Amino acid sequence: MSTQLRKVITEEVQRRHGYKVMEAKIKPVHIANALMRAEHQGVGRMSVLEQLFEATLTKNSLDKRVAAVRSLVDGQRDRWGALGEAADLKSSALMTKVLPLIRTLLGADGAVFGRSPEFSSFSSPTALTVTGDPSDDGAGLFIHRLWGGHDPALRLDILKLLSDLTNPEKSPADMDDLSALLSPLVDSTRKRVISAVDSEDLRDGYSPVETALRDAANNLDAYERKLNPNPIASLQRVVLLAALSVFMHAASRPRERAGMPERVLLLDASGDHSSPTVLASTRCIAQLISDARTYMALVVGDLLSAQLPDWHADPVSALNGILQNSGIAPLEDSNVIARRLQDIVKEHDDPNEIVQEVTEEIIRQAEGSSSRGLDGYLRLLGIRAGFLYPAQKNPNKRLNPADRTLEVLVASTIDVNQPPLEYRDFLELLRQKWSIVVGGRVDDGVLLAEIGATVPARALSENSERFLSRLESIGLARRLADSVAVVGLLEANHE
């Protein structure tokens, strides 16, 4: 029953926002695969990759792996040349070195191997290796729509950048080294028409958060074109921005859809696990996670209300109505979930208490043994995008972005076609675009105190100074005379 409840709730979330949040598997590489699939409207023909999978899958018997290599060679001898002419394929360089190396390259940087290429998302800079893997649960298509992928009037230049970087029709001479290596593994591409995502959030224009995310995409596009880095580094940043945009959009649903308070996130630059800024940053993320759980409960409450206006008096009937509308058999009175909901009604006289406990119980049942709600989605995506820390199972996360993530945050905040910003002006834009504070603005302490994350003024000032030093270390800030600092693209060779 938990799977069926989860299906109902996550489909409602997707109807509202364009992506699902309850499968506990999202990675940036999933988003990249789906984003390229939507942009190029196609997937690779991967018979060679299927054989490579068989030949390098360690759980396969040696005989099965050798047979796969033999089939690979027999099918396209001209592709493998001398590598396929070894008398003993079992000990050949093709089987022991080349094919395992190719699989390692496809699996770099967080790639996900499924039971076949079709259910895998590769770390690849070319759309030749795009698959039909649905593991992004709509996130890639949401970003494609957010960036205007199906409307020329709204289409952002970052999609042209993405298209140019990953173009499956590039000649080998124009490909980056990795694409050139991978291209022989794909016979060709085949058309797969991907319709635009249809969700309430993107149906009638853009909300303030969505507008800010589009502006961030424009800024990163300008940064990439001015920087002109190697294609793989550029694509990595575009994908990372896509993942951060999904995170920020999902994190802001409680505010934009349910009128909950705006939150700020304190970026901790202290490096000291017991510092006041660590504790305050952890408090900020905990508040974001709490809001996410509250919002999911509100989603469930809305579903129940659509069945029975006064559903708190008979939550089982309301839940059964939802299940039946989705083609799922209703709960029997003896069902453990039905009994628990009935007990909640008996335990409380206050309808508000019943509403809270029933919705929370349904969420718990839908999540099963894992944190599969919006809160878990934010934790998982935040960690995998290098936004939240630590990466271990410690539930107490704080905002401490990795260098690559920090670069994307800065690049999507500033306009590189304008002179470098004074540090204090940059901090104001960072708060406006990403809801991030570091302690360098006058009212940062007040905003943090409002959520119970009080930090001494001196600690905030020191945190801001350390953050500025970190920006300097990655070439995006410089201290000038008279205690003035600027932020921007300051090094022509920055990568």
Side-chain angles (χ1 to χ4, degrees), residues 34-107:
L35 183 56
M36 287 191 283
R37 185 170 64 230
E39 176 60 19
H40 294 288
Q41 297 284 298
V43 295
R45 297 181 185 274
M46 299 189 184
S47 58
V48 175
L49 271 180
E50 289 172 0
Q51 293 167 330
L52 185 147
F53 260 52
E54 288 293 309
T56 57
L57 193 61
T58 54
K59 72 177 184 180
N60 283 347
S61 67
L62 180 59
D63 288 344
K64 188 172 183 179
R65 283 185 281 136
V66 170
V69 175
R70 184 168 289 111
S71 178
L72 197 71
V73 171
D74 290 344
Q76 294 178 326
R77 287 192 173 275
D78 57 334
R79 174 174 289 171
W80 301 106
L83 286 170
E85 295 175 1
D88 182 11
L89 280 179
K90 189 180 301 184
S91 59
S92 68
L94 180 62
M95 181 161 183
T96 61
K97 296 180 180 179
V98 176
L99 296 182
L101 175 60
I102 293 173
R103 185 178 180 116
T104 299
L105 291 172
L106 284 169

Side-chain angles (χ1 to χ4, degrees), residues 272-388:
D272 179 355
H273 293 182
S274 60
S275 74
T277 55
V278 164
L279 299 177
S281 182
T282 302
R283 171 71 178 173
C284 289
I285 300 303
Q287 185 65 70
L288 203 71
I289 297 301
S290 176
D291 287 352
R293 289 197 68 83
T294 299
Y295 178 69
M296 289 296 286
L298 292 174
V299 170
V300 171
D302 289 346
L303 287 171
L304 295 168
S305 295
Q307 299 300 315
L308 290 173
D310 296 325
W311 64 264
H312 61 271
D314 189 1
V316 175
S317 293
L319 180 57
N320 279 337
I322 295 171
L323 295 174
Q324 288 176 302
N325 288 343
S326 300
I328 301 170
L331 301 176
E332 300 287 343
D333 288 342
S334 58
N335 182 279
V336 64
I337 300 174
R339 292 203 309 269
R340 176 59 190 138
L341 299 187
Q342 291 163 351
D343 288 343
I344 291 172
V345 174
K346 294 174 184 176
E347 291 167 2
H348 300 284
D349 295 324
D350 185 343
N352 291 328
E353 293 179 353
I354 295 174
V355 166
Q356 180 177 342
E357 287 207 28
V358 166
T359 53
E360 289 177 353
E361 180 62 30
I362 291 174
I363 292 283
R364 277 194 293 272
Q365 294 292 339
E367 291 180 351
S369 59
S370 302
S371 180
R372 291 175 177 261
L374 178 58
D375 57 325
Y377 188 85
L378 292 175
R379 282 195 193 94
L380 194 62
L381 185 56
I383 290 167
R384 290 175 170 174
F387 193 61
L388 301 184

Side-chain angles (χ1 to χ4, degrees), residues 140-458:
L141 194 55
F142 167 80
I143 291 296
H144 194 252
R145 171 71 181 272
L146 176 68
W147 290 350
H150 292 273
D151 187 341
L154 299 171
R155 184 177 171 87
L156 301 182
D157 288 342
I158 197 169
L159 285 175
K160 184 178 187 309
L161 175 64
L162 173 73
S163 182
D164 291 343
L165 289 170
T166 60
N167 185 358
E169 297 180 0
K170 278 184 185 178
S171 69
D174 295 328
M175 289 180 176
D176 60 87
D177 292 346
L178 184 54
S179 294
L181 176 65
L182 297 176
S183 62
L185 301 178
V186 182
D187 299 324
S188 62
T189 59
R190 67 176 184 271
K191 195 75 174 174
R192 178 172 293 189
V193 177
I194 310 295
S195 301
V197 64
D198 182 28
S199 64
E200 288 183 353
D201 279 348
L202 297 179
R203 195 168 293 157
D204 299 311
Y206 301 108
S207 72
V209 167
E210 290 155 3
T211 299
L213 293 175
R214 281 172 58 85
D215 184 60
N218 279 332
N219 285 340
L220 183 69
D221 175 71
Y223 178 85
E224 297 300 335
R225 294 181 191 282
K226 190 166 185 176
L227 187 63
N228 195 26
N230 71 72
I232 294 177
S234 189
L235 180 60
Q236 285 173 334
R237 284 189 287 267
V238 171
V239 170
L240 195 47
L241 179 67
L244 292 172
S245 296
V246 174
F247 177 94
M248 191 55 62
H249 189 267
S252 63
R253 293 312 81 203
R255 169 162 56 99
E256 286 202 334
R257 291 300 299 263
M260 297 173 70
E262 181 177 1
R263 303 299 184 189
V264 294
L265 305 177
L266 175 62
L267 189 153
D268 168 54
S270 69
D272 179 355
H273 293 182
S274 60
S275 74
T277 55
V278 164
L279 299 177
S281 182
T282 302
R283 171 71 178 173
C284 289
I285 300 303
Q287 185 65 70
L288 203 71
I289 297 301
S290 176
D291 287 352
R293 289 197 68 83
T294 299
Y295 178 69
M296 289 296 286
L298 292 174
V299 170
V300 171
D302 289 346
L303 287 171
L304 295 168
S305 295
Q307 299 300 315
L308 290 173
D310 296 325
W311 64 264
H312 61 271
D314 189 1
V316 175
S317 293
L319 180 57
N320 279 337
I322 295 171
L323 295 174
Q324 288 176 302
N325 288 343
S326 300
I328 301 170
L331 301 176
E332 300 287 343
D333 288 342
S334 58
N335 182 279
V336 64
I337 300 174
R339 292 203 309 269
R340 176 59 190 138
L341 299 187
Q342 291 163 351
D343 288 343
I344 291 172
V345 174
K346 294 174 184 176
E347 291 167 2
H348 300 284
D349 295 324
D350 185 343
N352 291 328
E353 293 179 353
I354 295 174
V355 166
Q356 180 177 342
E357 287 207 28
V358 166
T359 53
E360 289 177 353
E361 180 62 30
I362 291 174
I363 292 283
R364 277 194 293 272
Q365 294 292 339
E367 291 180 351
S369 59
S370 302
S371 180
R372 291 175 177 261
L374 178 58
D375 57 325
Y377 188 85
L378 292 175
R379 282 195 193 94
L380 194 62
L381 185 56
I383 290 167
R384 290 175 170 174
F387 193 61
L388 301 184
Y389 180 87
Q392 294 81 8
K393 292 186 177 181
N394 183 343
N396 298 317
K397 307 300 180 188
R398 63 184 185 273
L399 177 54
N400 187 354
D403 282 352
R404 186 192 296 175
T405 304
L406 181 56
E407 181 185 5
V408 170
L409 289 170
V410 175
S412 62
T413 298
I414 61 177
D415 182 351
V416 295
N417 293 317
Q418 298 296 322
L421 281 173
E422 282 196 33
Y423 180 55
R424 61 186 178 182
D425 295 328
F426 164 72
L427 293 182
E428 180 59 33
L429 284 178
L430 189 65
R431 190 205 64 78
Q432 291 176 12
K433 294 177 183 290
W434 293 104
S435 299
I436 293 173
V437 298
V438 298
R441 300 178 330 119
V442 174
D443 59 348
D444 285 353
V446 175
L447 292 174
L448 293 168
E450 288 176 355
I451 62 167
T454 302
V455 184
R458 181 175 178 178

